[in-house]
Amino acid sequence: MRRRKIKGSDEKLLCYTDYVITAAQDHKGKWREIFGNKNPIHLEIGIGRGSFVKRFAEKKPEINYLGIETKEEVMLYGVQESAEAKLSNIKFIWQNAMELTDFFETGEIERIYLNFSDPWPKKRHAKRRLTHPDFLEKYAKVLPNNGEIHFKTDHEELFEFSLNVFSESGWTLKNISLDLYRNLPEDNIPTDYESKFVEQGLKIYRFEAIVPGGDGF
Ligand SMILES: C[S@@+](CC[C@H](N)C(=O)[O-])C[C@H]1O[C@@H](n2cnc3c(N)ncnc32)[C@H](O)[C@@H]1O
């Protein structure tokens, strides 16, 4: 997705007070109050234009969805579309996922989606990858026992790096696919990046990981 700066998108985003959260740390331990129910909460980190999380929220009203994104000009699309659809089970956090453990208590998030995360191919940028061991430590702190991460990418090196990091950090890996579209699950929801890459004929890699200490042990 090429980053196209939309003038005033930050101000526009802030108009959607029912949907946009700018200080998630204020809600730590109290997310059930934000949604007004006790339904499980699933989180996508790095939502881009947000159509994945918005489509999930439409399809599964029994789950609450949160999307985190730093770039206001892309996030605005998902926010506007969710507001137009009057969805009540979705919120958007306009902050950096580096601070995740300030946002959530242990067990508050049941599932995390990482879709087409920036690969940061240079070694000196490895710490920015959302599957770096430092991030995995944070994920393990906010997920419950049996909490899951669902990961998709078109980037072979990031896939390989991530599989190794999850495995070395004691996560249980399952449903590993080296070509998701060869045997596409019926319930797959494509992200914006995914649709573009599939059109280009690229392979999509996927896996699921269960938090260390979960049922896999
Ligand atoms: C390559 S895009 C993928 C967008 C979307 N998931 C998709 O598949 O269409 C990655 C997005 O993750 C966001 N991102 C990367 N690191 C982040 C972080 N630490 N916190 C929040 N967002 C982040 C970027 O701003 C970017 O919009």
Side-chain angles (χ1 to χ4, degrees):
M1 193 181 301
R2 261 188 32 230
R3 191 172 183 196
R4 191 158 54 88
K5 194 85 186 162
I6 301 168
K7 213 171 152 223
S9 50
D10 45 356
E11 285 142 45
K12 277 191 199 149
L13 195 65
L14 292 173
C15 293
Y16 292 90
T17 50
D18 286 345
Y19 288 94
V20 177
I21 291 166
T22 54
Q25 58 278 12
D26 293 351
H27 307 295
K28 186 172 181 173
K30 298 182 282 195
W31 288 94
R32 302 279 181 258
E33 289 171 27
I34 291 278
F35 288 106
N37 60 50
K38 291 185 176 163
N39 292 343
I41 301 174
H42 293 184
L43 166 75
E44 187 190 3
I45 300 178
I47 62 166
R49 291 184 177 220
S51 62
F52 173 85
V53 73
K54 185 245 172 187
R55 280 179 67 187
F56 250 127
E58 278 178 322
K59 204 173 160 191
K60 292 188 178 279
E62 72 282 7
I63 307 283
N64 294 320
Y65 288 91
L66 285 172
I68 300 190
E69 176 57 60
T70 51
K71 293 177 188 162
E72 67 277 11
E73 67 275 20
V74 288
M75 186 183 202
L76 185 58
Y77 290 94
V79 171
Q80 283 175 327
E81 285 168 17
S82 300
E84 275 160 29
K86 296 189 170 37
L87 296 176
S88 60
N89 60 332
I90 187 166
K91 306 277 177 205
F92 296 85
I93 300 173
W94 181 22
Q95 285 176 274
N96 196 312
M98 296 269 286
E99 317 299 328
L100 206 66
T101 49
D102 294 336
F103 302 164
F104 305 108
E105 291 287 4
T106 305
E108 250 188 323
I109 298 298
E110 290 212 358
R111 183 179 296 174
I112 294 174
Y113 291 100
L114 299 174
N115 293 318
F116 301 87
S117 307
D118 298 314
W120 295 110
K122 290 189 179 137
K123 225 177 175 174
R124 68 173 191 274
H125 293 145
K127 268 181 171 276
R128 299 184 195 174
R129 295 177 197 150
L130 291 179
T131 51
H132 185 274
D134 292 355
F135 270 107
L136 263 57
E137 257 184 55
K138 295 179 204 286
Y139 304 151
K141 284 185 183 152
V142 303
L143 289 166
N145 264 351
N146 301 322
E148 294 187 357
I149 295 197
H150 292 198
F151 176 88
K152 286 197 272 193
T153 185
D154 64 304
H155 199 278
E156 194 178 355
E157 288 82 9
L158 180 69
F159 180 68
E160 199 176 317
F161 168 85
S162 305
L163 272 181
N164 281 319
V165 175
F166 273 95
S167 167
E168 284 159 13
S169 308
W171 294 64
T172 305
L173 295 164
K174 60 173 187 169
N175 295 326
I176 300 172
S177 173
L178 301 177
D179 186 358
L180 184 65
Y181 279 71
R182 198 179 46 197
N183 198 358
L184 190 66
E186 260 178 38
D187 58 355
N188 182 64
I189 291 191
T191 76
D192 295 298
Y193 267 69
E194 182 173 338
S195 303
K196 200 176 68 178
F197 292 142
V198 170
E199 249 183 61
Q200 291 169 10
L202 296 181
K203 273 191 195 165
I204 305 300
Y205 304 90
R206 181 180 187 274
F207 65 79
E208 296 170 7
I210 304 172
V211 77
D215 260 0
F217 291 82

